[in-house]
Amino acid sequence: MASDAVVDDAAEVEKLYELGERLNEAKDKSQHVSDYEGIIKAVEGKSVKAKQLAAQLIPRFFKFFPSLALRAMTAQFDLVEEDELAIRVQAIRGLPLLCKDTPEHVSKIVDVLGQLLTVEENVERDAVHKAIMSLLRQDAKASLTALFKHVEIGMELVREKVICFLKDKVFPLKAELLKPQIEMERHVTDLVKKSLQDVTGAEFKLFMDFLRSFSIFGDSSPPEHIQELIEIIEGQADLDAQFNVSDIDHIDRLISCMYMALPFFMRGASSSKFLNYFNKHIVAVFDEFPEERKLDLLKTIAGSSPYATAQDSRQLLPSIVQLLKKYMPRRKTEESTLNYAECLLYTFHHLAHKTPNSTNSLCGYKIVTGQPSDRLGEDFSDNYKDFTERLSSIEEIARAAMKKLTQGMAEHNKAISAAKTEEAKAKIKMEQQKTTSGLRICNNILAMTQPLHAKAPSFIGDNKINLSWKEPVKRSPASSTATGVKRNTASINGSSTNTAANKKVRDIVVFTFNEQMDCLAFFQEMWWG
């Protein structure tokens, strides 16, 4: 029995060699349909060696028999599903050859290869990777379209594997694969936009990082291209939905998307939709927010405020004053949250800088712009008295906090000198960094409240204030007090010490473009499951 099987096996292989040899020598191969059909039929046999040989011969002569294309591809796909690893690997290696002279099949073949990314054998997976890369180099547009279809509607495991393949193999080679550059960047942008209906936070960041690396979204790109990226982020933030304060997923997504949008606000994209959503949906229920999310949200608003339009500033300012009054109590015995006050004062200054006369009715100021909205004929003196009393109260609270923090810093310095172990020193250093951050908050509050006591104050609309969660400004040797440059207020009382412990969430306004996106890592595990 065994010897008969060996004989049969050898006979099948010999027959295939004869068919292949005849086709190879034929001048008009299309006249040898029966020979190619014989090769296709070998897939149904039992011989492992014959099937391996068939996996090579089917792609080799594929282009000469268009009438048998469907049967030939089906046979090759059947070989990909064989139990024997050697057959599968050979069949996978042959798939790109089916498209070598018949590019119309690229999409179908890449679709199948995308599904095969889930294979577990290393040699098989390597064959799949090489096959897809071969087709990407042949026809990037059709190949990427097929791969992104898996991202858009594919089975979960296939979808995850395709995304990993894109991240590890495709994105690093975009300069080589995306040609012509502008056309292909636009095509991939459209593919990405279709694929973002159901993504995790990490996946969304991955795709946005890829898009922002494109030349069409580069520094010299027109405003409408940057606005396009903002609209993608707005879609993920779900700004057209009615807000539900109990939906923690939406809250985390909103905060993450606002952080992601900040670099684009800096480049001129509109922040209106985010700010209007905050004003319309968030302010009224802010007290109901989880405590651990309130500060994160206020930081995003503070980071966005320098880039708000005058119209958006005018609409948002009453809400900011309302929140300020909550966190700037009239009496220092009332509860106050200094880091909230820092965010809100910074936001207040930047919004008021764009629409100063709006503060006349809100805070009782006497700012003259010559416009009817100055409302100088009305009496808002009670508002001025209330607002300045709150300013004085928060200043007293900040000074008292600074005194305690300064004492605490001295104690930390003594403790670290006496610490015996590295673990103990590390713990004390963490406390030092928290204390330093607290001092910076207090310094910033005092720097921002001081000008607001005037009847017609000048609002801070530049980068004078370096918020406590940002990296301390590193000045060049030329930028010293010896050259007549004033020191930043935040550097007083040692508050410019590194604040590494306070890096959980950063205002990304002062970072490089890549660093601006790094802050999203904090949220990636919290949104989209």
Side-chain angles (χ1 to χ4, degrees), residues 21 23 173 184 210 219 292 357 390 402 417 441 458:
E21 189 66 23
L23 281 170
L173 296 178
M184 283 303 299
F210 188 47
D219 292 338
E292 64 273 17
N357 64 350
R390 293 178 184 276
M402 285 182 71
S417 299
I441 291 171
S458 294

Side-chain angles (χ1 to χ4, degrees), residues 48 118 333 360 410:
V48 171
T118 59
T333 54
N360 289 353

Side-chain angles (χ1 to χ4, degrees), residues 475-488:
R475 300 184 179 279
S476 63
S479 300
S480 66
T481 53
T483 59
V485 180
K486 292 183 179 179
R487 289 182 294 172
N488 188 293

Side-chain angles (χ1 to χ4, degrees), residues 21-78:
E21 189 66 23
R22 251 197 324 264
L23 281 170
N24 198 46
E25 292 176 352
K27 290 184 178 180
D28 186 358
K29 295 176 175 51
S30 62
Q31 298 300 312
H32 294 259
V33 173
S34 60
D35 290 340
Y36 194 60
E37 285 180 325
I39 293 171
I40 294 173
K41 192 171 182 180
V43 173
E44 301 172 6
K46 297 181 179 180
S47 170
V48 171
K49 291 182 179 180
K51 290 181 179 182
Q52 282 184 266
L53 184 55
Q56 298 178 53
L57 295 176
I58 290 172
R60 183 182 299 175
F61 302 110
F62 180 76
K63 67 178 180 180
F64 300 109
F65 304 97
S67 63
L68 298 176
L70 182 59
R71 282 179 61 189
M73 282 196 295
T74 301
Q76 194 77 4
F77 294 155
D78 288 343

Side-chain angles (χ1 to χ4, degrees), residues 180-371:
Q181 184 180 23
I182 302 301
E183 177 187 331
M184 283 303 299
E185 287 182 350
R186 173 47 57 194
H187 179 65
V188 173
T189 299
D190 292 339
L191 292 176
V192 168
K193 289 165 74 171
K194 290 179 183 177
S195 303
L196 295 178
Q197 299 303 311
D198 183 20
V199 290
T200 66
E203 290 167 355
F204 184 59
K205 182 181 182 300
L206 169 69
F207 287 126
M208 288 304 298
D209 283 348
F210 188 47
L211 292 186
R212 68 183 178 83
S213 73
F214 285 178
S215 62
I216 60 173
F217 300 117
D219 292 338
S220 59
S221 58
E224 58 267 25
H225 286 190
I226 305 306
Q227 189 60 35
E228 182 179 2
L229 293 180
I230 281 293
E231 289 171 3
I232 294 173
I233 298 172
E234 289 172 348
Q236 284 300 302
D238 208 7
L239 298 183
D240 293 321
Q242 184 65 35
F243 184 73
N244 180 358
V245 73
S246 63
D247 187 349
I248 302 301
D249 175 76
H250 191 192
I251 292 173
D252 289 334
R253 199 155 15 105
L254 176 64
I255 294 170
S256 298
C257 287
M258 287 191 73
Y259 269 112
M260 190 176 287
L262 284 174
F264 304 114
F265 297 158
M266 294 172 64
R267 296 175 62 186
S270 173
S271 60
S272 293
K273 198 164 184 179
F274 276 105
L275 295 178
N276 289 337
Y277 192 85
F278 174 82
N279 197 30
K280 181 179 179 181
H281 296 280
I282 306 299
V283 173
V285 294
F286 187 76
D287 285 349
E288 301 174 40
F289 258 61
E291 286 300 321
E292 64 273 17
R293 301 294 186 269
K294 286 182 179 179
L295 182 60
D296 295 331
L297 182 60
L298 291 180
K299 285 179 178 179
T300 66
I301 297 300
S304 304
S305 62
Y307 314 104
T309 64
Q311 180 179 353
D312 290 338
S313 298
R314 187 177 295 276
Q315 292 176 350
L316 183 56
L317 202 52
S319 297
I320 296 302
V321 171
Q322 174 187 334
L323 289 173
L324 255 179
K325 288 182 177 180
K326 175 174 178 58
Y327 296 108
M328 289 199 321
R330 291 187 68 174
R331 290 175 295 277
K332 64 179 182 179
T333 54
E334 297 176 10
E335 183 181 356
S336 173
T337 309
L338 292 176
N339 47 8
Y340 292 9
E342 179 196 21
C343 295
L344 290 165
L345 282 166
Y346 184 89
T347 304
F348 175 81
H349 269 283
H350 280 277
L351 299 182
H353 180 75
K354 298 180 183 70
T355 175
N357 64 350
S358 294
T359 63
N360 289 353
S361 59
L362 294 171
C363 308
Y365 290 135
K366 298 290 185 181
I367 295 172
V368 180
T369 66
Q371 300 297 318

Side-chain angles (χ1 to χ4, degrees), residues 113-120 125 128 157-159 161:
L113 287 167
Q115 297 174 54
L116 292 174
L117 285 169
T118 59
V119 297
E120 297 180 357
R125 185 167 57 249
V128 173
L157 181 57
V158 173
R159 180 181 172 280
K161 294 296 184 181

